[in-house]
Amino acid sequence: MQRQHFDYHTTFSLNSGDSLPGFSLAYCTWGQMNAEGSNVIWVCHALTGSADVNQWWPGMIGPGKPLDTDRYFIICANVLGGCYGSTGPLDQNPATGKAYYHQFPELNVQDVTRAFDLLRQSLSINAIDLLIGGSLGGQQAVQWAADQPSLIKKLALLATNARHSPWGIAFNETQRMAIEADSSWKTEKAEAGAQGLKAARAIALLSYRTYAIYDEKQQNSQDSQSAMFAAASYQQYQGKKFIGRFNAFTYWILSKMMDSHDVGKNYASTAKALQGIEAKTLVIGIDSDILFPIAEQEFLAQHIPNAHLITLSSPYGHDGFLVEIQAVSEAINELMAFSVEEKKVNSKAAIS
């Protein structure tokens, strides 16, 4: 794996009407691009992910795995506004010489994909064989595929949607309310809102998981005399762990980015935007996902012309796309194997 940075030194206009005076994207690559540039896989990470796919999707990338580093050139970039090396709220604002903090501009999904596309151009990538993303990463993938249909050959959308729902927005707003309730949130410090973020993460877990998985994994043992229930301890632990690797400013920016997602915003309708996608598309939904319910993946599959829907049964809810590695791997392998067989058939047809 190679860790690198792409620096863009020109003013970058945002859809909000604001702008950034340039930006940096942290990205990781695996494998080698072939001479034709036809073996590129681009991964878009979810809300709290990073460019290092192995950290948040173990088992998916490597030799002989679905994202096969022996066959493909694989790239993942940390989103604009992120906190894993890309320009974000804790970086210096050149206009003030201080960190942006609350002054970091509003971003939407299309701002992120346009930044990704500038990175793509800098690497002389002329086609993406597979674009894959889940959750917020899936929102980015579907937006990019709609905006540049001839660029993307195959598309894998996992536990995501064409536009964010009032239900999803309500979950995110509730988390931001927890951050706002932290008295330190108004301060200009890197750790501002940390205790609120801890609570926000605990709230988010309830939307990522399910009643069934908590019932299975977080039961107190019958002989336990602890004053702290297992489920309560789990929420506290996950919140504490999260604030050690993330900040409230980035969480605020990226959750609002998710809320504003509608792939059809610059099209006649959401359905029209999806109908323009040319990629052979795999849509994966999780039957127990309450945050991105299966109806949202059905909508994607219904309106993307060359799409196939697979519904995975999992007790893990929205997190199922990260946890059910074997099932996801089989689906991705089938998508990639189909394209290989299709190329063989086309080659034989050309010879005859």
Side-chain angles (χ1 to χ4, degrees), residues 91-309:
D91 289 305
Q92 186 182 89
N93 180 354
T96 64
K98 300 178 181 180
Y100 283 98
Y101 296 126
H102 298 280
Q103 280 68 52
F104 195 81
E106 177 184 324
L107 299 173
N108 70 12
V109 167
Q110 196 173 52
D111 294 323
V112 169
T113 58
R114 288 191 300 111
F116 285 170
D117 201 63
L118 289 168
L119 168 59
R120 173 191 69 81
Q121 294 173 46
S122 78
L123 296 173
S124 300
I125 296 173
N126 297 318
I128 297 174
D129 189 45
L130 171 65
L131 177 62
I132 180 170
S135 194
L136 177 61
Q139 293 178 337
Q140 295 159 23
V142 74
Q143 184 71 62
W144 202 356
D147 290 344
Q148 295 199 58
S150 63
L151 175 69
I152 316 299
K153 307 309 174 187
K154 292 184 287 295
L155 180 64
L157 304 173
L158 290 72
T160 194
N161 53 20
R163 60 179 177 268
H164 212 44
S165 67
W167 173 252
I169 293 168
F171 262 118
N172 284 341
E173 181 63 19
T174 303
Q175 293 167 56
R176 290 190 294 267
M177 288 168 66
I179 293 172
E180 284 183 305
D182 184 332
S183 60
S184 72
W185 172 236
K186 299 287 187 180
T187 64
E188 293 193 338
K189 297 179 180 178
E191 65 275 16
Q195 291 306 306
L197 180 61
K198 179 180 175 181
R201 181 63 168 177
I203 294 166
L205 283 171
L206 299 178
S207 70
Y208 299 158
R209 297 295 176 97
T210 64
Y211 176 100
I213 205 66
Y214 269 84
D215 199 49
E216 176 185 340
K217 301 288 188 180
Q218 304 304 329
Q219 285 280 2
N220 278 33
S221 62
Q222 290 185 345
D223 59 350
S224 173
Q225 300 299 314
S226 171
M228 175 70 81
F229 288 105
S233 178
Y234 178 75
Q235 297 299 96
Q236 291 283 348
Y237 167 75
Q238 291 295 338
K240 183 178 180 180
K241 184 173 74 169
F242 186 62
I243 62 175
R245 69 175 181 89
F246 223 77
N247 70 79
F249 296 99
T250 286
Y251 202 81
W252 187 277
I253 290 290
L254 298 190
S255 66
K256 280 184 169 287
M257 177 196 300
M258 179 182 282
D259 290 353
S260 68
H261 170 62
D262 182 349
V263 71
K265 193 167 293 184
N266 297 318
Y267 296 82
S269 67
T270 303
K272 286 290 186 183
L274 297 177
Q275 288 162 11
I277 293 175
E278 297 176 6
K280 177 174 177 56
T281 302
L282 170 67
V283 182
I284 297 178
I286 312 296
D287 64 357
S288 58
D289 190 344
I290 64 167
L291 185 58
F292 290 75
I294 199 69
E296 297 190 331
Q297 290 86 62
E298 291 172 345
F299 183 87
L300 289 167
Q302 178 185 354
H303 293 287
I304 297 174
N306 195 16
H308 173 59
L309 173 66

Side-chain angles (χ1 to χ4, degrees), residues 21-32:
F23 62 81
S24 180
L25 292 181
Y27 67 99
C28 295
T29 65
W30 298 257
Q32 299 293 323

